[in-house]
Amino acid sequence: MGRIRVLPDQVANQIAAGEVVDRPASVVKELLENSLDAGATRIRVEVEAGGRKLIRITDNGHGMNRDDALLAFERHATSKLRTADDLLSIATLGFRGEALPSIASVSRLLLETCEPESSSGSRIEIAGGKILRVEDAALPAGTSITVQDLFFNTPARRKFLRAESTELSHVTALVTHYALVHPEKHFEMLSATHTLLQAPPVARSAERIYQIFGAENLGQLLPVAAEAPLEHGGLPEPPPWKRDPNEPVRELGVLRLSGFYSKPELQKLNRNSIYIFVNKRLIRDRLLMHAISEAYRNIIPPTSFPVVLLFLEMPSEEVDVNVHPAKTEVRFRQQNRIHDFVRDSLRAALISSRPAAGFLAALDAAPLASPTLMPSPVEHLPKPSEDAPIPPGEPGADGVSPDSTFRLTPPSLTPQPGTLAFEPHPGQFGPESTLENWAEAATALFSPAVANPISSCGADTLAEEQAQDIANTATMTAQVEVRREQANLNSLGSLRPLGQLRDSFILAVNDDGLWIIDQHVAHERVLFEKILASRDIEGIQRQRLLMPLLVDLQPWQMAVFADIADELEKNGFEAEPFGPRTLAVKAAPVGLEGRELERMLTEVIEQTGGSETNSARRQDLETLRGRIAASIACHSAIKVNTPLESQKMDWLLKELSKTKFPTSCPHGRPRALRYSWKEIQRAFQRI
Ligand code: ADP
Ligand code: MG
């Protein structure tokens, strides 16, 4: 007798369930997706005991007739696909026809469904994959699916479930995501005792974000929108001789991006606050994660992460969603195009909004472990794998324990005198929160914040920032619309210096409010841009040293010097070997002398020596130039603890206001902080 046997359906379903449902949140995900696919505009999610005991999803979608309702529990039974070709352009969230039979095989399930025009609906009861009861019933239009005792017949799985609160946090995170991407729909989530989310329909994503996260967090986010036409389709075209001349030319469509991104001072320790939706499907994608990190490169440290909500829209044939049973991974047909589009659009938005650190916000700027914008890590989503082209040194997605971070409402910051007038009270989802209120509050929140320039005396960082800029301006294709800040850095030009704080920070005022400017990093930025500009035009002002400065170097450093000597010369240096291990510097850019000059040279040499091969060193001329300029700027900029006369402060502020790319420094350190007029008034309780 043969050894091979075809598995009974029930076993096959349980195996599939292993891939599709591994915890209550994944059940909720599948059921929610079904409700959305059914065109529901109102969806209620109820959970008990973190979903272990009960999950019920009720929608007002198109429902099913009795035959369909029974068929829905057969494996691979779906209304969303007909042919294999349909797989190439999937417009629904589901398509595999696996979810319902899988869930039904590991729980006690009750389906109640009714089509809108039908006089009666159907009720079907299933336990562990066995149909127990099918009957007609008078039901409201739509579908309600109740899943009880999840994994009651698969104890091994049940054991893997985590604490109720953890499971609940995953469910909440999931519902939150879908609520975010569908602001026009009504989402409710209830536990046995509480309303966890009540989000009536709103017109715009900003309002939905406000409903879910509150004013505090929304205030930290800026909107972005971009659009770019596709130059070619991702699917192969038939050769010209096979093409039917009567067939209309295929529309290529456009890439569209909208969403929100955080100002540089809002930094997270992990990626849990980055949400990417492709055609309204929540996905985890390391390509797009990388694009986002690239956009923020040198704006926040490589070990921190921004908060980003990205909604990408593209023709459905441009994205293959049939990659993973849980449908959380996708494959783009034009990967590079999409990667660059996201990176460039976000980068351009970051540059043009020039977000400024509000005075109080900056105090909280350090990446914090607990205040996440969203509930806990979404563990059921596959994590980006190891080979991801992602900057090293980032903490894992689980850097923070889910329980400690779970929060549906925004974390409260340190108490500050005065609160925003429109800030909702705790328990904010009461009936008094009308649509108008949301809208008004959301609009108010997007009124201008102010831009700030930031930098630090960080060696390579200015240089990379510069190189990145050059690259971006060159490749920018996306049309980016960003709400421009009214008061941006240009308003620095109108500042009147009042004096210095401990000879290190300049205090200045204008109508915007009170500013505090870090004199060293501000001057550094000014010098950096000047050096780069004058290097291209008339050359750098150099000064001849009275006595050559001798700098001792190791042999490998001498070799690096030989490599970059030309470039140094163009930047105003005159230096030559003086014996095998010594360098004699005879001239240097104005303002750079003594110990600082020596430090600057060794710094550039060490950084450049980091590149592995000569050719890599040479190829990266742009980086080298930036690096040299950054290093000169850092070492000749006004130091802290230096008294400044008022003309000098005045000059510095004017020059700073003219700098080109004054966003944040790579370490998130601000260059200028503003204590706005509003904040001041509020603090004194005048408003
Ligand atoms: P898929 O979503 O991949 O098609 P499922 O197993 O999740 O597979 O669902 C099977 C079918 O049941 C769907 O194709 C759909 O026709 C129907 N269905 C499931 N949930 C609902 C719902 N809430 N409202 C209407 N029809 C539904
Ligand atoms: Mg489905």
Side-chain angles (χ1 to χ4, degrees), residues 34-35 37-38 59 62-64 72 77-80 94-101 143 145:
N34 281 345
S35 297
D37 281 343
D59 68 48
H62 59 54
M64 287 176 267
T78 177
S79 55
K80 301 168 193 176
F95 54 88
R96 301 172 63 104
E98 273 180 334
L100 287 186
T143 303
I145 296 185

Side-chain angles (χ1 to χ4, degrees), residues 50-285:
R52 293 155 153 242
K53 195 164 150 213
L54 177 134
I55 298 170
R56 178 181 296 126
I57 305 221
T58 311
D59 68 48
N60 65 350
H62 59 54
M64 287 176 267
N65 64 26
R66 189 173 178 144
D67 290 347
D68 276 356
L70 279 168
L71 210 52
F73 292 98
E74 297 290 327
R75 281 196 82 198
H76 307 304
T78 177
S79 55
K80 301 168 193 176
L81 275 190
R82 302 224 171 258
T83 67
D85 273 357
D86 292 348
L87 263 180
L88 295 178
S89 65
I90 290 168
T92 49
L93 294 166
F95 54 88
R96 301 172 63 104
E98 273 180 334
L100 287 186
S102 303
I103 297 167
S105 72
V106 292
S107 69
R108 301 183 216 278
L109 186 147
L110 176 71
L111 166 77
E112 294 176 303
T113 185
C114 183
E115 291 180 313
E117 48 305 327
S118 151
S119 56
S120 88
S122 330
R123 182 176 288 139
I124 298 178
E125 215 183 304
I126 302 181
K130 284 201 194 68
I131 298 186
L132 303 182
R133 187 158 61 105
V134 182
E135 62 188 25
D136 286 345
L139 294 165
T143 303
S144 163
I145 296 185
T146 310
V147 175
Q148 280 177 292
D149 302 329
L150 186 62
F151 302 136
F152 79 96
N153 55 349
T154 48
R157 284 232 152 237
R158 199 175 171 82
K159 249 193 249 153
F160 275 104
L161 291 180
R162 309 265 293 273
E164 268 178 31
S165 58
T166 311
E167 295 301 339
L168 179 67
S169 78
H170 288 286
V171 175
T172 319
L174 215 120
V175 179
T176 310
H177 299 149
Y178 279 100
L180 279 171
V181 79
H182 292 285
E184 76 290 354
K185 301 190 184 222
H186 191 147
F187 284 82
E188 277 173 286
M189 178 164 168
L190 314 165
S191 73
T193 49
H194 288 88
T195 298
L196 299 170
L197 174 76
Q198 182 64 265
V202 284
R204 301 187 309 145
S205 298
E207 294 157 41
R208 182 49 58 92
I209 293 179
Y210 178 79
Q211 285 178 324
I212 296 179
F213 304 120
E216 211 81 67
N217 284 311
L218 180 55
Q220 298 281 339
L221 300 178
L222 294 169
V224 53
E227 195 176 296
L230 282 166
E231 288 96 36
H232 48 87
L235 286 173
E237 290 271 352
W241 61 90
K242 281 203 175 159
R243 232 171 272 164
D244 177 356
N246 299 322
E247 200 180 298
V249 183
R250 194 149 32 109
E251 283 280 327
L252 292 174
V254 286
L255 290 176
R256 254 189 218 103
L257 171 157
S258 63
F260 297 86
Y261 61 97
S262 54
K263 298 177 185 176
E265 66 261 26
L266 184 67
Q267 294 170 19
K268 300 289 175 188
L269 287 172
N270 53 43
R271 298 204 180 88
N272 296 339
S273 298
I274 300 180
Y275 298 89
I276 305 170
F277 300 85
V278 172
N279 293 345
K280 300 204 188 304
R281 179 194 303 279
L282 175 73
I283 58 148
R284 291 264 128 186
D285 185 75

Side-chain angles (χ1 to χ4, degrees), residues 259-582:
F260 297 86
Y261 61 97
S262 54
K263 298 177 185 176
E265 66 261 26
L266 184 67
Q267 294 170 19
K268 300 289 175 188
L269 287 172
N270 53 43
R271 298 204 180 88
N272 296 339
S273 298
I274 300 180
Y275 298 89
I276 305 170
F277 300 85
V278 172
N279 293 345
K280 300 204 188 304
R281 179 194 303 279
L282 175 73
I283 58 148
R284 291 264 128 186
D285 185 75
R286 57 173 199 266
L287 180 82
L288 293 183
M289 283 288 180
H290 181 255
I292 292 170
S293 309
E294 282 283 288
Y296 273 87
R297 196 147 77 95
N298 293 331
I299 292 178
I300 61 175
T303 45
S304 300
F305 297 87
V307 175
V308 176
L309 302 173
L310 266 196
F311 307 116
L312 268 169
E313 298 286 336
M314 63 189 73
S316 46
E317 59 276 7
E318 290 299 325
V319 45
D320 184 0
V321 289
N322 188 20
V323 177
H324 187 272
K327 299 165 288 174
T328 47
E329 278 175 41
V330 296
R331 203 172 293 134
F332 297 107
R333 307 224 195 262
Q334 305 189 54
Q335 296 208 17
N336 295 344
R337 177 79 182 90
I338 306 226
H339 173 274
D340 294 355
F341 171 68
V342 169
R343 180 198 60 201
D344 295 347
S345 309
L346 204 54
R347 184 82 180 174
L350 271 162
I351 292 175
S352 52
S353 63
R354 311 212 288 183
F359 187 74
L360 294 169
L363 299 179
D364 283 322
L368 298 172
S370 70
T372 64
L373 184 58
M374 301 258 185
S376 77
V378 191
E379 270 174 10
H380 56 277
L381 296 180
K383 290 185 194 102
S385 55
E386 294 311 316
D387 55 344
I390 277 160
E394 51 110 359
D398 283 327
V400 185
S401 100
D403 291 328
S404 67
T405 62
F406 167 55
R407 225 167 254 160
L408 190 63
T409 46
S412 57
L413 299 176
T414 19
Q416 294 159 10
T419 45
L420 299 183
F422 45 74
E423 199 170 51
H425 302 292
Q428 45 193 282
F429 299 119
E432 72 282 344
S433 30
T434 62
L435 261 182
E436 289 76 16
N437 287 348
W438 298 119
E440 193 185 313
T443 324
L445 280 161
F446 282 114
S447 61
V450 180
N452 90 311
I454 310 181
S455 167
S456 88
C457 189
D460 231 9
T461 49
L462 282 170
E464 276 178 27
E465 199 178 303
Q466 181 73 16
Q468 182 80 35
D469 279 355
I470 295 167
N472 277 331
T473 359
T475 57
M476 191 71 57
T477 49
Q479 284 283 312
V480 177
E481 262 180 62
V482 182
R483 192 180 283 256
R484 298 301 296 241
E485 310 291 332
Q486 277 169 10
N488 59 25
L489 252 219
N490 306 338
S491 70
L492 279 177
S494 63
L495 281 177
R496 256 183 316 118
L498 300 179
Q500 278 170 293
L501 186 62
R502 302 209 173 197
D503 291 341
S504 301
F505 297 93
I506 300 174
L507 301 180
V509 289
N510 65 7
D511 281 352
D512 273 358
L514 171 70
W515 291 71
I516 304 182
I517 294 115
D518 182 326
Q519 64 193 39
H520 172 68
V521 288
H523 190 210
E524 184 193 9
R525 179 79 221 181
V526 170
L527 288 174
F528 174 69
E529 293 199 5
K530 278 212 171 131
I531 293 164
L532 280 177
S534 46
R535 190 195 162 285
D536 293 339
I537 309 164
E538 75 272 17
I540 313 263
Q541 276 191 318
R542 69 160 71 176
Q543 66 187 6
R544 194 148 277 287
L545 307 182
L546 284 176
M547 296 259 292
L549 175 80
L550 299 183
V551 182
D552 286 337
L553 294 179
Q554 295 174 18
W556 72 268
Q557 292 176 314
M558 289 298 277
V560 176
F561 169 76
D563 241 24
I564 62 173
D566 277 357
E567 198 47 44
L568 282 172
E569 199 182 318
K570 293 194 181 111
N571 278 285
F573 290 90
E574 194 184 317
E576 54 195 37
F578 183 76
R581 296 186 50 183
T582 312

Side-chain angles (χ1 to χ4, degrees), residues 645-663:
E645 287 162 13
S646 96
Q647 293 100 310
K648 183 104 194 206
M649 291 191 262
D650 218 25
W651 170 86
L652 183 55
L653 296 176
K654 295 268 176 325
E655 292 297 308
L656 183 61
S657 73
K658 289 186 221 152
T659 52
K660 196 177 100 238
F661 179 42
T663 56

